[in-house]
Amino acid sequence: MRARPSAHGPAPQPLELWCDVFPSVSETFVAAEARQLAALGHPVVVAASERGAGTPEPGLQVTYLWEASTRTRVRAMVAVGARHPVRCLADLRDRRRWRVQEPVPPLRTLAPDLRRLMRSGATVHAHFATAPGLRAMRASRILARPWSLTAHADDISATPANLPEKLRSAALVTSGCAYTVTDLRNAAGTVAAGRVHEVVMGVDPERFRRSGPRPHGRHVVAVGRLVEKKGFIHLVRALAEPGLEDVSLTVVGDGPEASALTAEAARLGLTDRVTLPGAMDSGAVRETLARADVLAMPCVIARDGDRDSLPVVVKEAMAMEVPVVVSDAVGLPELVDESCGRVVPAGDATALAGALREILDMDAAHRDALGRAGRARVGESADLRTETERLSLLLRALAAPRGGGRRRTTPRRRNV
């Protein structure tokens, strides 16, 4: 168990959380983090590129980059160019290099964000090292102020566009598990590796708390985007293994693998036992987890190198005292062990079926013990408040005046 971060340190400064789409049903951690940072005293604005289809977040101030009018962009570009002409020219020069690896929007599209930052003095913390990270790095160079980054999964492994440069530019980099932190430190190089910290994408144990009796049935649930790296195809195949003939499976989410999962269920004669209801908002996910006997997250490394990190839904299920079965890929073994679930080899449907069968065949007392241990583990290692306090202290340290007598305020890091 990590030590709780100290409550002492510089006062919270205004923050902008930059992301691609908000709200997003697959990235609910952005809203959760924003709410908790606000509760810790940070004035917070979520600055997204575009509006998502998720449930609106009451109480959060949100702005959308692509909704700015042409007139707003032109006026902002004039103001930014007049204040920082040399840095704007440098951005024009650097865009040619960045464009080799990723799309680079013209500076006029970013100008409204820059002008807002000039007025507010806020610090930018970007989620994902893809487009939001590039926007934040450009803003940092033009405005000459530090920025920070949380890198997650595919932005590290599958689409690492200009990643080393972004890591060296950011004053602080975080990621949600030791697995991805190690990758980021290697990509950052020796000079910048010390700026990379582990801050878990935590869950609120009060929001994800069991409020009714456990079902004690034979219902397996999986939640996530329907993409190869989630390994859901192996979960469907596991259901066809002996001893699971009376087990039902619900796979919540949408994505390009939906038709493949449906076809595989039909091929194996499982259509009446496999349900794909599509994406759900966080409230519906909680209700589905409350009806689950096991949460399965059989992640794999996709053929293109894409991989997960430590999916938030695993922590949500554990907080709700649902036993979990996960693969040994990515950061999952850092959280799950025999006390709260089972860990099986990635891509092995037979081993996955064996773990599911073992838990589902347990008596109620043993299943309940796994659930209670999982909730305790989340409280120790993935509590939203504790992890956001850790992030808050790291961010406040960026704004603290430098000097030999300054108190160290960054939280203790785990050895990775």
Side-chain angles (χ1 to χ4, degrees), residues 331-348:
L332 290 164
E334 298 173 30
L335 185 68
V336 180
D337 62 18
E338 292 284 316
S339 71
C340 55
R342 295 293 183 266
V343 181
V344 300
D348 188 334

Side-chain angles (χ1 to χ4, degrees), residues 67-320:
E67 293 183 4
S69 66
T70 300
R71 180 178 180 181
T72 298
R73 292 178 180 177
V74 170
R75 293 178 65 179
M77 186 67 250
V78 170
V80 173
R83 179 76 66 88
H84 304 295
V86 175
R87 294 173 191 160
C88 288
L89 289 173
D91 180 84
L92 179 63
R93 176 200 65 210
D94 292 337
R95 274 160 44 193
R96 298 167 187 162
R97 181 179 73 258
W98 299 325
R99 196 177 292 124
V100 174
Q101 298 188 30
E102 63 185 311
V104 184
L107 187 55
R108 65 179 177 275
T109 63
L110 182 59
D113 281 351
L114 295 175
R115 193 180 192 192
R116 187 180 62 253
L117 289 171
M118 288 164 56
R119 291 169 169 169
S120 70
T123 298
V124 172
H125 181 75
H127 271 282
F128 292 95
T130 46
L134 180 64
R135 286 167 54 205
M137 181 171 69
R138 295 172 71 187
S140 168
R141 293 184 175 188
I142 291 171
L143 301 181
R145 67 179 66 168
W147 71 288
S148 56
L149 168 69
T150 292
H152 291 269
D154 59 340
D155 52 338
I156 303 171
S157 56
T159 55
N162 298 299
L163 182 60
E165 183 173 358
K166 291 169 184 172
L167 297 177
R168 291 191 294 268
S169 168
L172 165 68
V173 179
T174 73
S175 197
C177 63
Y179 180 92
T180 49
V181 164
T182 298
D183 287 345
L184 287 168
R185 287 179 178 167
N186 290 336
T190 55
V191 174
R195 303 176 201 157
V196 182
H197 299 258
E198 182 182 355
V199 177
V200 175
M201 292 289 101
V203 298
D204 182 348
E206 297 308 312
R207 185 179 175 89
F208 288 90
R209 174 188 286 278
R210 179 167 293 282
S211 58
R214 297 174 178 85
H216 294 143
R218 297 179 71 80
H219 180 207
V220 177
V221 168
V223 181
R225 291 194 63 236
L226 306 186
V227 292
E228 183 184 358
K229 68 180 179 181
K230 296 295 185 181
F232 293 152
I233 195 76
H234 306 291
L235 181 56
V236 172
R237 291 168 182 164
L239 215 64
E241 294 280 329
L244 297 180
E245 293 86 357
D246 59 345
V247 173
S248 62
L249 170 64
T250 300
V251 183
V252 177
D254 57 19
E257 289 236 318
S259 58
L261 294 172
T262 300
E264 188 69 359
R267 184 184 73 81
L268 295 170
L270 303 173
T271 301
D272 60 337
R273 294 198 282 132
V274 176
T275 303
L276 279 73
M280 295 180 178
D281 63 24
S282 60
V285 168
R286 285 199 308 276
E287 293 175 5
T288 303
L289 291 175
R291 298 192 300 271
D293 294 288
V294 178
L295 183 282
M297 183 53 69
C299 292
V300 298
I301 297 176
R303 285 165 291 184
D304 65 357
D306 191 13
R307 64 198 69 185
D308 229 311
S309 55
L310 210 175
V312 173
V313 71
V314 175
K315 292 166 267 189
E316 293 173 345
M318 291 169 66
M320 294 186 66

